Amino acid sequence: MNKYLIGPKGRTYSRTITFNGRKFFEHKQKYYSDIVFWDNSNIKESGCAVLALVNVLSGYVPNIEVEEVANIMKYGTFSRIKETLKYYGYKSEIVYKNDSNDLYNKVLKHLNDGKVLIALVSSKNVVPFKFSINNHFIGIIGIEDNKPIILNSEDSSSDCTLDELIDKYMNGENNGFIFIEV
């Protein structure tokens, strides 16, 4: 039996997910070509970090606005996400895959404690393709049957186990997680 409930889509999000008594919105990049982000680009082209953050915070910050977060964040990097989390009053820790011997258990404990994560993944040289060819930020709001409950701002598939996510889709040297204290 699922612990979470998938809800209807809206104008700028593909679905809602109610999990642990919180309602999260999965915003999609394709709806945000008009919001400038990362110098001369926009959220549609370069905004996965903004939407990963908005998606996970949507369960905690009422009426969080994508454009407001984009204006605060300015760039989609681990350090800018961490600074933006601090702006909203949340502590976080960045853990790169290559710097952690026990990443799987650390992630599992964090999620089982009811906390959320942002992950930087890549589908480069991976079959089947998921997420994005290059680096791509996704939100993770929980876990069920070893499958992370992923909020993905792209339309690509995001169904995988936690083992696959870490072993297969964190294949770049800067891939890892932002552990968020909520």
Side-chain angles (χ1 to χ4, degrees):
M1 183 172 149
N2 286 344
K3 296 182 208 170
Y4 59 95
L5 176 68
I6 305 289
K9 68 184 266 179
R11 192 176 63 79
T12 59
Y13 55 90
S14 64
R15 64 183 177 165
T16 60
I17 297 177
T18 302
F19 181 72
N20 283 343
R22 297 188 178 278
K23 185 176 182 178
F24 297 88
F25 295 83
E26 186 177 56
H27 292 270
K28 296 295 185 178
Q29 286 177 246
K30 66 184 179 183
Y31 298 119
Y32 293 100
S33 60
D34 59 336
I35 298 178
V36 176
F37 185 70
W38 204 303
D39 293 331
N40 295 322
S41 192
N42 59 51
I43 290 178
K44 180 181 179 181
E45 299 300 320
S46 305
C48 61
V50 170
L51 294 185
L53 182 56
V54 169
N55 289 345
V56 298
L57 286 185
S58 66
Y60 299 90
V61 179
N63 303 314
I64 191 165
E65 293 290 332
V66 172
E67 189 165 13
E68 176 185 312
V69 175
N71 288 333
I72 295 165
M73 189 182 293
K74 305 213 184 305
Y75 301 98
T77 63
F78 270 132
S79 61
R80 292 302 305 162
I81 294 171
K82 186 174 175 71
E83 289 173 28
T84 307
L85 281 161
K86 186 176 179 182
Y87 172 87
Y88 281 97
Y90 295 98
K91 293 180 182 179
S92 61
E93 175 188 7
I94 299 169
V95 178
Y96 297 99
K97 179 185 176 189
N98 294 338
D99 295 340
S100 179
N101 296 343
D102 197 22
L103 189 57
Y104 175 88
N105 287 325
K106 187 173 184 174
V107 168
L108 189 60
K109 180 180 179 341
H110 192 80
L111 293 172
N112 283 332
D113 287 346
K115 299 175 184 174
V116 296
L117 299 161
I118 293 176
L120 181 61
V121 296
S122 172
S123 289
K124 192 173 188 176
N125 301 319
V126 178
V127 176
F129 171 85
K130 291 184 189 292
F131 309 113
S132 174
I133 292 290
N134 297 311
N135 282 339
H136 179 66
F137 286 101
I138 58 173
I140 304 173
I141 60 168
I143 192 158
E144 185 174 273
D145 300 326
N146 194 36
K147 288 189 175 185
I149 302 169
I150 296 173
L151 302 177
N152 184 4
S153 63
E154 285 285 331
D155 284 332
S156 57
S157 171
S158 53
D159 184 42
C160 65
T161 66
L162 184 55
D163 308 74
E164 285 177 306
L165 183 72
I166 293 171
D167 295 338
K168 201 173 187 180
Y169 296 102
M170 289 196 164
N171 54 26
E173 66 182 60
N174 293 320
N175 291 154
F177 293 93
I178 299 176
F179 290 78
I180 303 170
E181 293 296 324
V182 290

